[in-house]
Amino acid sequence: MFFKHALIMAAGRGNRMKPLSDLIPKALAPFKGNTLIDNSIEQLYTVVDKIHITVGYKKVDLATHLLSSSSIDSIINTSGKENVWWIFNSLMSDLDSPVLVLTCDNVTNLDANFLEKEYKSLNNPACMLVAVKDIKGVEADKVFSSANKVKKISRDIDSQICCSGIQVINPKKCNELMKEKESFMDFWNELMNLSQLYHSNVYPHRWFSIDSMQQLEQAELNS
């Protein structure tokens, strides 16, 4: 396997999924007879050796579920921290290997062969964003680039492609290039300054990002 490690970011509160997220973490939202996070974990089993999960909001509930039902390799407590914290502070910070990173609300068919091919074609950068076609009505970070080198990321300007929430990150390279950043936007901006942020060609599979109960229902019907 090219990807030895994958990390699912599952620490967020999921405010847009209230009142469900008042009761359970967003990652445990029901999906296709299972949960959002288990849907991702089941796919990752076939494409990586080790799976890591970040927890925060309702971390005990999520960690208990993961330990009782999943053969994951580590749980990283990022309670009170930003999503980017694990790159600089966890045991993964010295990992000199491409980590497949996704958010717990991603619903897609993971295509490890496509991701490997794209990452290698870009000469193994510190970070590769996985690009998808912009979908009207879905809030997302829009990407502007030249020859797949990212020049700008914005939520205010229309673009044909946007970030999917899936990335390939080499933590050791990132730590060698910069000091700890407070947010992913700060992280991406620094990588852009260093010409180390690229994006893949458009992902060839259907993709959903779940931010609301309506989107959850739509993804269940269409995935």
Side-chain angles (χ1 to χ4, degrees):
M1 294 179 180
F2 177 73
F3 295 106
K4 303 299 183 184
H5 298 265
L7 181 136
I8 303 176
M9 296 186 292
R13 294 184 65 87
N15 285 331
R16 296 182 184 179
M17 296 187 71
K18 290 184 176 183
L20 179 66
S21 59
D22 287 333
L23 303 173
I24 60 173
K26 181 180 182 179
L28 295 184
F31 182 75
K32 297 182 77 68
N34 211 327
T35 68
L36 278 177
I37 196 164
D38 286 315
N39 178 70
S40 296
I41 290 171
E42 287 176 0
Q43 292 194 66
L44 287 171
Y45 279 146
T46 65
V47 298
V48 300
D49 291 330
K50 297 183 181 298
I51 301 173
H52 314 272
I53 314 286
T54 65
V55 299
Y57 175 65
K58 293 189 178 293
K59 59 182 179 291
V60 174
D61 294 339
L62 180 53
T64 299
H65 171 83
L66 293 169
L67 292 171
S68 65
S69 64
S70 305
S71 299
I72 61 168
D73 294 276
S74 73
I75 296 174
I76 303 171
N77 182 9
T78 61
S79 182
K81 310 294 184 182
E82 293 292 333
N83 277 343
V84 76
W85 181 88
W86 66 271
I87 298 174
F88 303 97
N89 296 282
S90 73
L91 292 175
M92 299 183 74
S93 62
D94 288 327
L95 185 61
D96 189 13
S97 178
V99 179
L100 179 56
V101 180
L102 57 155
T103 55
C104 70
D105 55 12
N106 254 279
V107 176
T108 189
N109 294 320
L110 287 175
D111 189 336
N113 291 330
F114 171 83
L115 297 175
E116 176 184 353
K117 179 181 177 182
E118 294 293 299
Y119 187 68
K120 287 180 176 178
S121 74
L122 297 170
N123 198 28
N124 306 324
C127 180
M128 180 187 79
L129 305 174
V130 177
V132 291
K133 292 182 179 179
D134 186 34
I135 302 174
K136 290 185 178 181
V138 175
E139 186 175 342
D141 294 309
K142 312 298 174 63
V143 178
F144 303 84
S145 64
S146 175
N148 291 72
K149 182 184 291 186
V150 180
K151 301 294 186 180
K152 185 176 181 178
I153 297 175
S154 173
R155 290 203 168 187
D156 302 321
I157 308 172
D158 288 337
S159 172
Q160 292 185 340
I161 60 172
C162 62
C163 301
S164 64
I166 305 173
Q167 308 176 63
V168 177
I169 296 174
N170 183 307
K172 185 174 183 179
K173 281 186 179 181
C174 294
N175 277 278
E176 289 174 345
L177 289 169
M178 70 181 79
K179 295 181 179 180
E180 182 179 353
K181 299 302 175 185
E182 294 185 358
S183 69
F184 260 110
M185 190 58 72
D186 291 339
F187 172 71
W188 292 332
N189 283 333
E190 183 69 8
L191 288 173
M192 280 186 268
N193 292 335
L194 297 166
S195 297
Q196 278 292 312
L197 184 63
Y198 288 78
H199 70 77
S200 71
N201 289 315
V202 172
Y203 199 58
H205 301 285
R206 299 189 72 177
W207 164 87
F208 300 90
S209 179
I210 309 301
D211 283 328
S212 66
M213 293 304 299
Q214 182 180 4
Q215 290 174 353
L216 180 65
E217 293 169 2
Q218 182 181 1
E220 178 121 19
L221 290 172
N222 293 285
S223 64

